[in-house]
Amino acid sequence: MSSEQADEETLHARAPFQVERVGAFIDAVAAIAMTLLILPLMESVGEVAGAGEDTLHWVGQHDQQLVSFVVSFVLIAMFWMIHHRMFRAVEAVTSPLMWILVGWLATIVWLPVATAISGAMDADDPWAKVLYVGSMIATSLFSLAIRLYLWRHPELHHAPSGSLNTGVAVDIAMAVLFAIALTLGLLIPRVGYYAMFVMLLT
Amino acid sequence: MSSEQADEETLHARAPFQVERVGAFIDAVAAIAMTLLILPLMESVGEVAGAGEDTLHWVGQHDQQLVSFVVSFVLIAMFWMIHHRMFRAVEAVTSPLMWILVGWLATIVWLPVATAISGAMDADDPWAKVLYVGSMIATSLFSLAIRLYLWRHPELHHAPSGSLNTGVAVDIAMAVLFAIALTLGLLIPRVGYYAMFVMLLT
Amino acid sequence: MSSEQADEETLHARAPFQVERVGAFIDAVAAIAMTLLILPLMESVGEVAGAGEDTLHWVGQHDQQLVSFVVSFVLIAMFWMIHHRMFRAVEAVTSPLMWILVGWLATIVWLPVATAISGAMDADDPWAKVLYVGSMIATSLFSLAIRLYLWRHPELHHAPSGSLNTGVAVDIAMAVLFAIALTLGLLIPRVGYYAMFVMLLT
Amino acid sequence: MSSEQADEETLHARAPFQVERVGAFIDAVAAIAMTLLILPLMESVGEVAGAGEDTLHWVGQHDQQLVSFVVSFVLIAMFWMIHHRMFRAVEAVTSPLMWILVGWLATIVWLPVATAISGAMDADDPWAKVLYVGSMIATSLFSLAIRLYLWRHPELHHAPSGSLNTGVAVDIAMAVLFAIALTLGLLIPRVGYYAMFVMLLT
């Protein structure tokens, strides 16, 4: 057996996951989380209809929920795109990498809950903002952890180091910007969710 | 490096998404949205059973919800088919194209909410119709935007220009037909949802 | 252009769907419908806990729902397997075939609603049985329609005619057996759902 | 026809499922079950907001639900990884194997219900623990059944017998550890769910 073949067998034993199926699994979870964002809206429709009120009234009462839905939908889409561009260069998935990916997924699955909270609670409830923006900081940090793991294990991927460096910078910038948005949102109530939008523009 | 190779590398940098995974992601979101259409029906079963009523009574009380479910199921299937026939010719996905696709997805994910509204509210509630048919107009316009983007970036796909032109015509015709259906539905209450069916036949 | 190439181009124009993506879409819808079967159980957990009752009480009160869940789970799995064995021979999907597949999907997506009804209503409610077993007859008939369509369009698949004939016989047998189960269930109340199990054994 | 070809045709007739589509189907169900774990949290948000309470209050009242969510999320991820590492060696799926896989899937789909029960009921409700930990024992036993089936049918896969033996040992160890956790949880109330974590560490 040549040394190259031996290397490949070792890699296979260390990286026992099929990259395509792991990618498809992550896509499925992100797609479901993105779609479950509508559940609080669907539930509230039943309640308003039961109370004999009309559509215009429902829209007026749920403007905060509607804004949360759009912001979270755009954010999950953005996180998925960032993940997708990184993951396409991955060629092998080890168990530690898989667990970091599961952590990333947990923050994505948590986002519909945080969205429901931020859509249901008073606009000046500080803990609603901490849970909502905090889960985005967590997503950015898990994304950073994935990239640092790849950076230390160059045999698992074919991403040029330049693109990894850029990605690390993007992840850190995201986490910092979300932290600033959270601070602003806590200091100046009723500004928080618009600050999210501002961030996306920059 | 030959000029062709350089072109390919530039395209890769500009179009950093894997077409197969983007397609699978879109399919997953559409499949989930299509299935979540049953949620208002499932919820109402629990309520009717709690009130001690029987199945026939439930069907009688939820005829509007049942019609909404069937119409929306057929419409999402139709939108997905239109998208599918277009997307199979796509070979590379750029960031702007990805965001237009996310917009298209948002209108698909919104449809179960609009369906719940149109199934729960009074049949002559004008805003229920605006939200329901309006979301279909939005889907058609995003579909049009995707096609116009592809038309301006021939390097991203292999669709013959004839098929793109036909597609643009279909998208515009769909948006106009939905707008006519909405106008009819607003002018002549209780006609709206049947007008949808008429449209599908034509 | 040779006659064979011309044939292939005509087939491509008539069958504009990618078989892999259509198959993946059908799988996704079936997987979601199968999983949504748990929703009535999850909802009832919240209600029982709110009323201060314990787990044993919940199980005792929801035995009918638990049986419905298991039966429907097994049935969707069975329908999916029948579909899967047929669809693997399909090589091209035309628009009419796609619409028959959407009809098949609609009966699968409807099954969680019918399951919720049969789990929530009185065991001797005849219409609950009609909706539940009727939706299975509908699935079998759509499966039959898909097979007859393939039988009339041999250019779309590579299934040997022997296997198609067997499949047609299975679909008809299923529809007849479900109709017998429904008749038994209507004539002898409280026998209906066990008759389903008997059918699966035969 | 050579003897090898005949063997292959027999295998194809006995194993009529496409391994890729079966794998994707299993992934989709696991991904949906993992995401539906958030439903009890989302529902409770609406209730607390309706009662005019704030986010901190919600977190305080739902600490048990939050822990259940995290534990179950990690457990489904772990079960999926164990399944994934085994299934990647599978080359053909027979009908009996498919039904064992459906049984495995049923235990995964049941887990969100068991999680909702363990999150909603009193911490010293013994039957909540039996249903929750019992469903994990069931998952481990189905995993064991899959592996034993593969062990008896070496023509269906290319896993070395060493890796199968290791897997059998892991499945048995898991079932035993969960049984110990359940016994501990029943003997010493309020210890149960932390015992789960201890198991994961070992």
Side-chain angles (χ1 to χ4, degrees):
Chain A
M1 190 189 283
S2 76
S3 145
E4 214 166 86
Q5 270 181 303
D7 278 12
E8 206 156 278
E9 285 214 1
T10 318
L11 181 59
H12 182 91
R14 278 185 47 228
F17 296 99
Q18 286 173 290
V19 176
E20 292 75 29
R21 269 188 79 186
V22 171
F25 187 73
I26 290 168
D27 290 359
V29 172
I32 303 159
M34 224 163 150
T35 319
L36 292 188
L37 290 170
I38 57 164
L39 288 189
L41 289 170
M42 292 192 79
E43 203 180 327
S44 68
V45 168
E47 284 161 21
V48 165
E53 283 158 355
D54 65 4
T55 306
L56 204 56
H57 188 259
W58 176 81
V59 172
Q61 255 191 334
H62 293 84
D63 57 334
Q64 198 185 337
Q65 262 188 358
L66 288 162
V67 171
S68 306
F69 162 68
V70 173
V71 174
S72 296
F73 193 88
V74 168
L75 285 170
I76 295 188
M78 190 188 65
F79 284 129
W80 180 79
M81 287 184 207
I82 292 173
H83 158 79
H84 179 102
R85 296 171 74 149
M86 172 181 62
F87 200 76
R88 78 175 298 182
V90 173
E91 280 163 346
V93 178
T94 60
S95 285
L97 179 55
M98 191 68 227
W99 280 110
I100 308 176
L101 288 166
V102 167
W104 184 86
L105 276 180
T107 66
I108 295 290
V109 168
W110 168 257
L111 208 59
V113 183
T115 304
I117 292 172
S118 84
M121 301 299 178
D122 284 344
D124 55 356
D125 184 336
W127 286 96
K129 285 170 186 162
V130 169
L131 283 184
Y132 187 56
V133 189
S135 78
M136 285 156 208
I137 298 176
T139 310
S140 304
L141 293 179
F142 270 107
S143 183
L144 179 63
I146 297 167
R147 241 185 274 264
L148 292 178
Y149 187 89
L150 292 177
W151 186 71
R152 290 195 50 188
H153 297 83
E155 74 280 12
L156 298 178
H157 63 92
H158 60 260
S161 67
S163 101
L164 266 184
N165 291 349
T166 313
V168 165
V170 167
D171 286 336
I172 294 176
M174 294 274 294
V176 169
L177 281 171
F178 281 121
I180 293 173
L182 178 56
T183 313
L184 282 180
L186 291 177
L187 292 179
I188 319 163
R190 295 193 172 271
V191 132
Y193 300 112
Y194 297 97
M196 303 278 99
F197 272 127
V198 173
M199 178 179 319
L200 289 171
L201 295 172
T202 58
Chain B
M1 189 188 284
S2 76
S3 145
E4 213 166 87
Q5 270 182 303
D7 278 11
E8 205 156 280
E9 285 215 0
T10 318
L11 181 59
H12 183 90
R14 277 184 48 228
F17 296 98
Q18 285 174 291
V19 176
E20 292 76 27
R21 269 189 79 185
V22 171
F25 187 74
I26 289 168
D27 290 359
V29 172
I32 302 158
M34 224 162 149
T35 318
L36 293 189
L37 290 170
I38 57 165
L39 288 189
L41 289 169
M42 291 191 80
E43 203 180 328
S44 67
V45 168
E47 285 162 20
V48 166
E53 283 157 356
D54 65 3
T55 306
L56 204 57
H57 189 259
W58 176 80
V59 172
Q61 254 190 336
H62 294 83
D63 57 334
Q64 198 184 337
Q65 262 187 359
L66 289 162
V67 171
S68 305
F69 163 68
V70 173
V71 174
S72 295
F73 194 88
V74 168
L75 285 170
I76 296 187
M78 190 188 66
F79 284 130
W80 180 78
M81 288 184 207
I82 292 173
H83 159 80
H84 179 101
R85 296 171 75 149
M86 172 181 62
F87 199 75
R88 77 175 301 182
V90 172
E91 280 164 346
V93 177
T94 61
S95 284
L97 179 55
M98 191 68 227
W99 280 110
I100 308 176
L101 288 167
V102 167
W104 184 86
L105 277 181
T107 66
I108 295 290
V109 168
W110 168 257
L111 208 59
V113 183
T115 304
I117 291 172
S118 85
M121 301 298 178
D122 285 342
D124 55 356
D125 184 335
W127 286 97
K129 286 170 185 161
V130 169
L131 284 185
Y132 188 56
V133 189
S135 78
M136 285 157 208
I137 297 176
T139 310
S140 304
L141 293 179
F142 271 106
S143 183
L144 180 63
I146 297 167
R147 240 183 274 265
L148 292 177
Y149 187 89
L150 292 177
W151 186 71
R152 290 195 49 188
H153 297 82
E155 75 279 14
L156 299 178
H157 63 92
H158 61 259
S161 67
S163 99
L164 266 184
N165 291 349
T166 313
V168 165
V170 166
D171 286 337
I172 295 176
M174 293 275 293
V176 169
L177 281 170
F178 282 121
I180 293 172
L182 177 56
T183 314
L184 282 179
L186 291 177
L187 292 179
I188 319 163
R190 295 194 171 269
V191 132
Y193 300 110
Y194 297 97
M196 304 277 98
F197 272 128
V198 174
M199 178 178 320
L200 288 171
L201 295 172
T202 57
Chain C
M1 189 190 284
S2 76
S3 145
E4 213 167 89
Q5 271 182 302
D7 277 11
E8 205 156 281
E9 285 216 359
T10 317
L11 181 59
H12 183 91
R14 276 185 47 229
F17 296 98
Q18 285 172 291
V19 176
E20 292 76 28
R21 269 189 81 185
V22 171
F25 188 73
I26 290 168
D27 289 359
V29 171
I32 302 159
M34 224 162 149
T35 318
L36 292 189
L37 290 170
I38 57 165
L39 288 189
L41 289 169
M42 292 192 79
E43 204 180 326
S44 68
V45 168
E47 284 162 21
V48 166
E53 283 158 356
D54 65 5
T55 306
L56 203 57
H57 189 260
W58 176 81
V59 172
Q61 254 191 336
H62 294 84
D63 57 334
Q64 197 184 339
Q65 262 187 358
L66 289 162
V67 171
S68 305
F69 163 69
V70 172
V71 174
S72 296
F73 194 89
V74 168
L75 285 169
I76 296 187
M78 190 188 67
F79 284 130
W80 181 78
M81 287 184 208
I82 292 173
H83 159 80
H84 179 101
R85 296 170 75 149
M86 172 180 63
F87 199 75
R88 77 175 299 182
V90 173
E91 280 163 347
V93 178
T94 61
S95 283
L97 179 55
M98 191 68 227
W99 280 110
I100 309 176
L101 287 167
V102 167
W104 184 86
L105 277 181
T107 66
I108 295 290
V109 168
W110 168 258
L111 208 58
V113 182
T115 304
I117 291 172
S118 83
M121 301 299 180
D122 283 343
D124 54 355
D125 184 336
W127 287 97
K129 287 169 186 163
V130 170
L131 284 184
Y132 187 57
V133 189
S135 77
M136 284 156 210
I137 298 176
T139 310
S140 303
L141 293 179
F142 270 107
S143 183
L144 179 64
I146 297 167
R147 240 184 273 265
L148 292 177
Y149 187 89
L150 291 177
W151 186 71
R152 290 194 50 187
H153 298 81
E155 75 279 13
L156 298 178
H157 63 92
H158 60 260
S161 66
S163 100
L164 265 184
N165 291 348
T166 313
V168 164
V170 167
D171 286 337
I172 294 176
M174 295 274 295
V176 170
L177 281 170
F178 281 122
I180 293 171
L182 178 56
T183 313
L184 282 180
L186 291 177
L187 291 179
I188 319 163
R190 295 193 174 270
V191 133
Y193 299 112
Y194 297 97
M196 304 276 100
F197 272 126
V198 173
M199 178 178 318
L200 289 172
L201 294 173
T202 57
Chain D
M1 191 189 283
S2 75
S3 145
E4 212 166 89
Q5 269 182 303
D7 278 10
E8 205 156 279
E9 285 214 0
T10 317
L11 181 60
H12 183 91
R14 277 185 47 227
F17 295 98
Q18 286 173 290
V19 176
E20 292 75 28
R21 269 189 80 185
V22 171
F25 187 73
I26 290 168
D27 290 0
V29 171
I32 302 158
M34 223 162 151
T35 318
L36 293 189
L37 290 170
I38 58 164
L39 288 189
L41 289 169
M42 292 192 79
E43 203 180 327
S44 68
V45 168
E47 284 161 21
V48 166
E53 283 157 356
D54 65 5
T55 306
L56 204 57
H57 189 260
W58 175 81
V59 173
Q61 255 190 335
H62 293 84
D63 57 335
Q64 198 184 336
Q65 262 188 359
L66 289 162
V67 170
S68 306
F69 162 69
V70 173
V71 174
S72 296
F73 193 88
V74 168
L75 284 170
I76 296 188
M78 191 189 65
F79 285 131
W80 180 79
M81 287 184 209
I82 292 173
H83 158 80
H84 179 102
R85 295 170 74 150
M86 172 181 62
F87 199 75
R88 76 176 299 181
V90 172
E91 280 164 345
V93 177
T94 60
S95 284
L97 179 55
M98 191 69 227
W99 280 110
I100 309 176
L101 287 166
V102 167
W104 184 86
L105 276 182
T107 66
I108 294 289
V109 168
W110 167 257
L111 207 59
V113 183
T115 304
I117 291 171
S118 84
M121 300 299 178
D122 284 343
D124 54 356
D125 184 335
W127 287 97
K129 285 169 187 164
V130 170
L131 284 184
Y132 188 56
V133 189
S135 78
M136 285 156 210
I137 298 176
T139 310
S140 304
L141 293 179
F142 271 107
S143 183
L144 179 64
I146 297 168
R147 239 184 275 263
L148 292 177
Y149 187 88
L150 292 177
W151 185 72
R152 291 195 51 186
H153 297 82
E155 75 279 14
L156 298 178
H157 63 92
H158 61 260
S161 67
S163 101
L164 266 184
N165 291 348
T166 314
V168 165
V170 166
D171 286 336
I172 294 176
M174 294 275 294
V176 170
L177 281 170
F178 281 122
I180 293 172
L182 178 56
T183 313
L184 282 179
L186 290 177
L187 292 179
I188 319 163
R190 293 194 175 271
V191 132
Y193 300 111
Y194 297 97
M196 305 277 98
F197 273 127
V198 174
M199 177 179 317
L200 289 171
L201 294 172
T202 58

PDB file of all heavy atoms in Angstrom, chain D residues 20-35:
ATOM      1  N   GLU D  20     -29.786   5.863  -2.418  1.00  0.00           N
ATOM      2  CA  GLU D  20     -29.660   7.311  -2.268  1.00  0.00           C
ATOM      3  C   GLU D  20     -30.989   7.927  -1.821  1.00  0.00           C
ATOM      4  O   GLU D  20     -31.036   8.768  -0.932  1.00  0.00           O
ATOM      5  CB  GLU D  20     -29.227   7.974  -3.582  1.00  0.00           C
ATOM      6  CG  GLU D  20     -27.814   7.639  -4.005  1.00  0.00           C
ATOM      7  CD  GLU D  20     -27.743   6.227  -4.563  1.00  0.00           C
ATOM      8  OE1 GLU D  20     -28.756   5.746  -5.104  1.00  0.00           O
ATOM      9  OE2 GLU D  20     -26.684   5.577  -4.430  1.00  0.00           O
ATOM     10  N   ARG D  21     -32.087   7.490  -2.483  1.00  0.00           N
ATOM     11  CA  ARG D  21     -33.386   8.072  -2.125  1.00  0.00           C
ATOM     12  C   ARG D  21     -33.828   7.634  -0.736  1.00  0.00           C
ATOM     13  O   ARG D  21     -34.415   8.431   0.008  1.00  0.00           O
ATOM     14  CB  ARG D  21     -34.459   7.697  -3.165  1.00  0.00           C
ATOM     15  CG  ARG D  21     -34.559   8.724  -4.277  1.00  0.00           C
ATOM     16  CD  ARG D  21     -35.756   8.479  -5.179  1.00  0.00           C
ATOM     17  NE  ARG D  21     -37.001   8.961  -4.614  1.00  0.00           N
ATOM     18  CZ  ARG D  21     -38.199   8.775  -5.178  1.00  0.00           C
ATOM     19  NH1 ARG D  21     -38.295   8.106  -6.320  1.00  0.00           N
ATOM     20  NH2 ARG D  21     -39.279   9.254  -4.616  1.00  0.00           N
ATOM     21  N   VAL D  22     -33.536   6.391  -0.352  1.00  0.00           N
ATOM     22  CA  VAL D  22     -33.881   5.948   1.004  1.00  0.00           C
ATOM     23  C   VAL D  22     -33.101   6.775   2.024  1.00  0.00           C
ATOM     24  O   VAL D  22     -33.659   7.260   3.016  1.00  0.00           O
ATOM     25  CB  VAL D  22     -33.596   4.444   1.177  1.00  0.00           C
ATOM     26  CG1 VAL D  22     -33.732   4.026   2.632  1.00  0.00           C
ATOM     27  CG2 VAL D  22     -34.536   3.624   0.305  1.00  0.00           C
ATOM     28  N   GLY D  23     -31.798   6.977   1.760  1.00  0.00           N
ATOM     29  CA  GLY D  23     -30.986   7.800   2.662  1.00  0.00           C
ATOM     30  C   GLY D  23     -31.519   9.213   2.777  1.00  0.00           C
ATOM     31  O   GLY D  23     -31.628   9.760   3.879  1.00  0.00           O
ATOM     32  N   ALA D  24     -31.889   9.812   1.634  1.00  0.00           N
ATOM     33  CA  ALA D  24     -32.408  11.182   1.648  1.00  0.00           C
ATOM     34  C   ALA D  24     -33.733  11.254   2.389  1.00  0.00           C
ATOM     35  O   ALA D  24     -34.007  12.223   3.109  1.00  0.00           O
ATOM     36  CB  ALA D  24     -32.565  11.692   0.217  1.00  0.00           C
ATOM     37  N   PHE D  25     -34.562  10.226   2.230  1.00  0.00           N
ATOM     38  CA  PHE D  25     -35.852  10.185   2.923  1.00  0.00           C
ATOM     39  C   PHE D  25     -35.637  10.147   4.432  1.00  0.00           C
ATOM     40  O   PHE D  25     -36.274  10.889   5.191  1.00  0.00           O
ATOM     41  CB  PHE D  25     -36.633   8.950   2.451  1.00  0.00           C
ATOM     42  CG  PHE D  25     -38.034   8.888   2.953  1.00  0.00           C
ATOM     43  CD1 PHE D  25     -38.997   9.739   2.442  1.00  0.00           C
ATOM     44  CD2 PHE D  25     -38.407   7.981   3.932  1.00  0.00           C
ATOM     45  CE1 PHE D  25     -40.306   9.680   2.894  1.00  0.00           C
ATOM     46  CE2 PHE D  25     -39.715   7.917   4.391  1.00  0.00           C
ATOM     47  CZ  PHE D  25     -40.663   8.770   3.875  1.00  0.00           C
ATOM     48  N   ILE D  26     -34.715   9.286   4.877  1.00  0.00           N
ATOM     49  CA  ILE D  26     -34.405   9.175   6.310  1.00  0.00           C
ATOM     50  C   ILE D  26     -33.867  10.508   6.841  1.00  0.00           C
ATOM     51  O   ILE D  26     -34.269  10.974   7.908  1.00  0.00           O
ATOM     52  CB  ILE D  26     -33.389   8.033   6.540  1.00  0.00           C
ATOM     53  CG1 ILE D  26     -34.069   6.695   6.276  1.00  0.00           C
ATOM     54  CG2 ILE D  26     -32.798   8.080   7.940  1.00  0.00           C
ATOM     55  CD1 ILE D  26     -33.106   5.527   6.182  1.00  0.00           C
ATOM     56  N   ASP D  27     -32.961  11.138   6.076  1.00  0.00           N
ATOM     57  CA  ASP D  27     -32.427  12.433   6.485  1.00  0.00           C
ATOM     58  C   ASP D  27     -33.534  13.459   6.653  1.00  0.00           C
ATOM     59  O   ASP D  27     -33.544  14.237   7.609  1.00  0.00           O
ATOM     60  CB  ASP D  27     -31.438  12.960   5.436  1.00  0.00           C
ATOM     61  CG  ASP D  27     -30.159  12.163   5.421  1.00  0.00           C
ATOM     62  OD1 ASP D  27     -30.037  11.221   6.216  1.00  0.00           O
ATOM     63  OD2 ASP D  27     -29.280  12.482   4.608  1.00  0.00           O
ATOM     64  N   ALA D  28     -34.480  13.476   5.686  1.00  0.00           N
ATOM     65  CA  ALA D  28     -35.556  14.472   5.737  1.00  0.00           C
ATOM     66  C   ALA D  28     -36.404  14.273   6.985  1.00  0.00           C
ATOM     67  O   ALA D  28     -36.702  15.230   7.704  1.00  0.00           O
ATOM     68  CB  ALA D  28     -36.419  14.387   4.478  1.00  0.00           C
ATOM     69  N   VAL D  29     -36.768  13.011   7.281  1.00  0.00           N
ATOM     70  CA  VAL D  29     -37.595  12.757   8.467  1.00  0.00           C
ATOM     71  C   VAL D  29     -36.842  13.170   9.730  1.00  0.00           C
ATOM     72  O   VAL D  29     -37.399  13.830  10.617  1.00  0.00           O
ATOM     73  CB  VAL D  29     -38.021  11.276   8.522  1.00  0.00           C
ATOM     74  CG1 VAL D  29     -38.695  10.958   9.843  1.00  0.00           C
ATOM     75  CG2 VAL D  29     -38.966  10.948   7.375  1.00  0.00           C
ATOM     76  N   ALA D  30     -35.541  12.804   9.826  1.00  0.00           N
ATOM     77  CA  ALA D  30     -34.763  13.159  11.017  1.00  0.00           C
ATOM     78  C   ALA D  30     -34.658  14.678  11.156  1.00  0.00           C
ATOM     79  O   ALA D  30     -34.801  15.227  12.255  1.00  0.00           O
ATOM     80  CB  ALA D  30     -33.371  12.535  10.948  1.00  0.00           C
ATOM     81  N   ALA D  31     -34.432  15.374  10.025  1.00  0.00           N
ATOM     82  CA  ALA D  31     -34.307  16.839  10.072  1.00  0.00           C
ATOM     83  C   ALA D  31     -35.609  17.472  10.535  1.00  0.00           C
ATOM     84  O   ALA D  31     -35.608  18.429  11.322  1.00  0.00           O
ATOM     85  CB  ALA D  31     -33.924  17.376   8.687  1.00  0.00           C
ATOM     86  N   ILE D  32     -36.751  16.941  10.062  1.00  0.00           N
ATOM     87  CA  ILE D  32     -38.031  17.527  10.463  1.00  0.00           C
ATOM     88  C   ILE D  32     -38.296  17.250  11.937  1.00  0.00           C
ATOM     89  O   ILE D  32     -38.711  18.146  12.689  1.00  0.00           O
ATOM     90  CB  ILE D  32     -39.183  16.964   9.600  1.00  0.00           C
ATOM     91  CG1 ILE D  32     -38.917  17.236   8.121  1.00  0.00           C
ATOM     92  CG2 ILE D  32     -40.504  17.590  10.002  1.00  0.00           C
ATOM     93  CD1 ILE D  32     -39.669  16.315   7.198  1.00  0.00           C
ATOM     94  N   ALA D  33     -38.038  16.004  12.392  1.00  0.00           N
ATOM     95  CA  ALA D  33     -38.261  15.675  13.798  1.00  0.00           C
ATOM     96  C   ALA D  33     -37.413  16.587  14.688  1.00  0.00           C
ATOM     97  O   ALA D  33     -37.891  17.101  15.713  1.00  0.00           O
ATOM     98  CB  ALA D  33     -37.924  14.209  14.055  1.00  0.00           C
ATOM     99  N   MET D  34     -36.161  16.804  14.288  1.00  0.00           N
ATOM    100  CA  MET D  34     -35.242  17.660  15.043  1.00  0.00           C
ATOM    101  C   MET D  34     -35.779  19.088  15.149  1.00  0.00           C
ATOM    102  O   MET D  34     -35.629  19.742  16.183  1.00  0.00           O
ATOM    103  CB  MET D  34     -33.916  17.692  14.287  1.00  0.00           C
ATOM    104  CG  MET D  34     -32.702  17.562  15.148  1.00  0.00           C
ATOM    105  SD  MET D  34     -31.352  17.076  14.040  1.00  0.00           S
ATOM    106  CE  MET D  34     -29.995  17.833  14.959  1.00  0.00           C
ATOM    107  N   THR D  35     -36.395  19.560  14.073  1.00  0.00           N
ATOM    108  CA  THR D  35     -36.884  20.935  14.063  1.00  0.00           C
ATOM    109  C   THR D  35     -38.207  21.055  14.805  1.00  0.00           C
ATOM    110  O   THR D  35     -38.477  22.073  15.453  1.00  0.00           O
ATOM    111  CB  THR D  35     -37.031  21.428  12.614  1.00  0.00           C
ATOM    112  OG1 THR D  35     -35.912  20.983  11.859  1.00  0.00           O
ATOM    113  CG2 THR D  35     -37.095  22.932  12.557  1.00  0.00           C
TER     114      THR D  35
END
